[in-house]
Structure formats: structure tokens, C-alpha cells
Amino acid sequence: MSYIVDKYNSLNEVIAAERADSLSTDTSLNLLKSTISSEINEAASGTYGYLADIGITRDREGVMSINSAVLTTVLKNNLDDVEELFTEETS
């Protein structure tokens, strides 16, 4: 899970740097960030509907982090339900 969180945070850093640079008026960056955020915020059916339910959250600046205690407990007790959160197809 830390790989996903690290890559998400790295992408946000790149987007922020590009927006602060000469591409600040590039609407494609805003669209990319908005699309990713929408996907993360979309509820899934099942025991765990959101990443926050398994201990993965974002702060006000959009930095994602892992609550290791929550994630460890969830993975230990409900691995199949966590897999469902990441593999469910949406329409």
C-alpha cells in the first residue's frame, strides 16, 4: 500500500510544481487532479467503501498517508474485503 501512497503523493508534487511554473493556466493539470480525486472519493460497494475505511487518508493539502495500525488490522481480519475495494468494477 505504501507504494500506491508514495506514487500518489509524487504525482501531486509534480502537478503542484507544474501549476506553480509556466503551466499554471493549463487546464489539463486541473482536470487530471480533479479526475484522480473523484476516483479516490467515489464509494465502492462492500465492507469497505473508501480508502479511509482501511486507514488511507488525505490531509487538507491532498497528501495521502497510511494509518499503519488500522491498515494492519483490516488486512489481518478482512483481506478479501480489502481486495474487493481495489478490484471492484464501476460503471
Side-chain angles (χ1 to χ4, degrees):
M1 295 292 173
S2 63
Y3 178 81
I4 294 169
V5 170
D6 291 343
K7 291 302 178 185
Y8 174 85
N9 288 333
S10 293
L11 177 61
N12 269 342
E13 289 173 11
V14 168
I15 290 172
E18 292 297 325
R19 288 171 75 185
D21 224 12
S22 61
L23 296 175
S24 63
T25 58
D26 187 350
T27 58
S28 62
L29 290 174
N30 293 332
L31 178 61
L32 175 62
K33 187 168 182 154
S34 175
T35 301
I36 292 169
S37 185
S38 292
E39 288 298 318
I40 290 172
N41 291 332
E42 186 175 327
S45 62
T47 303
Y48 303 110
Y50 299 95
L51 291 176
D53 296 337
I54 63 168
I56 301 174
T57 58
R58 291 182 295 165
D59 65 17
R60 286 185 171 179
E61 286 76 39
V63 176
M64 193 176 276
S65 62
I66 298 173
N67 180 325
S68 296
V70 172
L71 182 58
T72 299
T73 299
V74 168
L75 290 174
K76 182 178 176 183
N77 297 325
N78 301 85
L79 182 58
D80 290 341
D81 294 329
V82 174
E83 288 177 357
E84 184 179 329
L85 173 64
F86 287 98
T87 58
E88 178 187 334
E89 291 186 30
T90 58
S91 54

